[in-house]
Amino acid sequence: QKEVEQDPGPLSVPEGAIVSLNCTYSNSAFQYFMWYRQYSRKGPELLMYTYSSGNKEDGRFTAQVDKSSKYISLFIRDSQPSDSATYLCAKEYSGAGSYQLTFGKGTKLSVIP
Amino acid sequence: DSGVTQTPKHLITATGQRVTLRCSPRSGDLSVYWYQQSLDQGLQFLIQYYNGEERAKGNILERFSAQQFPDLHSELNLSSLELGDSALYFCASSVDGEKLFFGSGTQLSVL
C-alpha cells in the first residue's frame, strides 16, 4: 500500500465553485503535511503547510488534517481558472537530520470559466 | 520563480548513454533534494544532500549517483540509461528541511 493515496481525478468544476481535494495516508510516524500545486511543465510549489490536526486557512485555501482518520483535505473557495493545476499532497518524515517528502500522485483540477 | 535553477531544461539521449543534470539551490539553502516524476509513479524521492554530505537516500537506482559541491550546487548523474528512465527530474532546496522549493525540472527523454 502506497503511503499517501490521492484520487488522480481529473476534476472539472465551474468558476466560483468550492473545490475539495483529499488524501489518505497509512503511516502515523510523521507530523508534517503539505499541499503543493504544480502547473503544467513546472516544478511543484508549496501551497499549504501544517503540522497539527485541525484547519489552517490562507486566503481562499484551507488545509484540514484529521490524524485520527489519517485524512488530509484541501478546500479552495471561489475557484478561479488560474487554480487549474495538479495538486499534490505530501507528508514529511524527519529523522537524523534528514527530511523526506512522500507525495501522492496528484489530482488534476480544471476550473472552467 | 522559486530561486532554484536547473539545467538543461530538456535532454534527449540514447539508451546506454550517461547524462548529468545540474542544480543550483536558492541562495542560503544548504539542502538539495532530487526527485523523479513519471506518469505512473508520481513524484519519487531519490536523494538528499546537506552541505556536501549525503543525508538520505530514497528510491535511487545504483546506475544513478549525485553529489553536492562546495559552492552547494548539485549534480545528478544517470548512467547506462534505459527507456524507463525517461521522466522529469526535479531538484529542490531548503534551508530547514521543512519547506522545499522546487526548480522547473529537466525533461529527460531516452530514445
Side-chain angles (χ1 to χ4, degrees):
Chain A
Q1 180 186 13
K2 196 167 168 53
E3 288 197 43
V4 180
E5 299 279 357
Q6 189 173 6
D7 185 343
L11 182 62
S12 184
V13 302
E15 182 176 353
I18 296 174
V19 177
S20 172
L21 303 168
N22 304 297
C23 283
T24 58
Y25 60 92
S26 58
N27 188 340
S28 298
F30 55 87
Q31 304 169 15
Y32 302 96
F33 308 89
M34 298 96 181
W35 283 95
Y36 279 79
R37 177 175 61 193
Q38 185 176 19
Y39 291 113
S40 180
R41 302 183 185 281
K42 299 289 186 183
E45 57 177 324
L46 182 63
L47 198 58
M48 300 285 284
Y49 175 95
T50 181
Y51 53 84
S52 61
S53 284
N55 294 352
K56 182 176 181 179
E57 193 172 315
D58 184 2
R60 295 185 295 111
F61 299 89
T62 299
Q64 189 174 78
V65 177
D66 184 343
K67 286 190 173 182
S68 61
S69 58
K70 298 188 178 68
Y71 212 74
I72 313 164
S73 300
L74 178 71
F75 299 97
I76 307 174
R77 292 183 299 280
D78 187 26
S79 56
Q80 302 295 309
S82 59
D83 295 328
S84 298
T86 296
Y87 290 81
L88 302 154
C89 61
K91 60 92 172 174
E92 181 177 54
Y93 171 78
S94 61
S98 75
Y99 297 86
Q100 297 184 37
L101 290 184
T102 300
F103 285 87
K105 288 192 176 182
T107 300
K108 186 171 183 179
L109 171 68
S110 296
V111 181
I112 311 301
Chain B
D1 183 6
S2 67
V4 178
T5 303
Q6 287 188 250
T7 57
K9 290 191 183 304
H10 303 278
L11 202 48
I12 301 174
T13 188
T15 54
Q17 295 299 304
R18 172 189 169 94
V19 297
T20 298
L21 281 54
R22 182 187 169 99
C23 169
S24 294
R26 293 189 319 157
S27 177
D29 286 357
L30 298 179
S31 281
V32 169
Y33 305 75
W34 287 96
Y35 282 82
Q36 179 192 58
Q37 188 175 40
S38 60
L39 282 175
D40 56 341
Q41 293 295 320
L43 203 56
Q44 299 283 313
F45 169 68
L46 295 179
I47 197 165
Q48 177 203 357
Y49 277 82
Y50 178 83
N51 202 21
E53 293 186 1
E54 182 184 304
R55 187 59 67 91
K57 259 186 176 179
N59 301 320
I60 188 166
L61 300 171
E62 286 192 11
R63 299 183 286 108
F64 296 0
S65 65
Q67 55 184 327
Q68 186 179 28
F69 295 87
D71 67 352
L72 301 178
H73 91 272
S74 178
E75 292 180 356
L76 179 67
N77 300 296
L78 315 175
S79 61
S80 302
L81 285 167
E82 302 175 359
L83 295 177
D85 298 327
S86 296
L88 257 173
Y89 291 84
F90 287 106
C91 168
S93 73
S94 74
V95 62
D96 55 11
E98 293 185 344
K99 297 175 184 176
L100 269 58
F101 294 86
F102 284 80
S104 293
T106 294
Q107 177 69 62
L108 174 66
S109 298
V110 182
L111 305 178

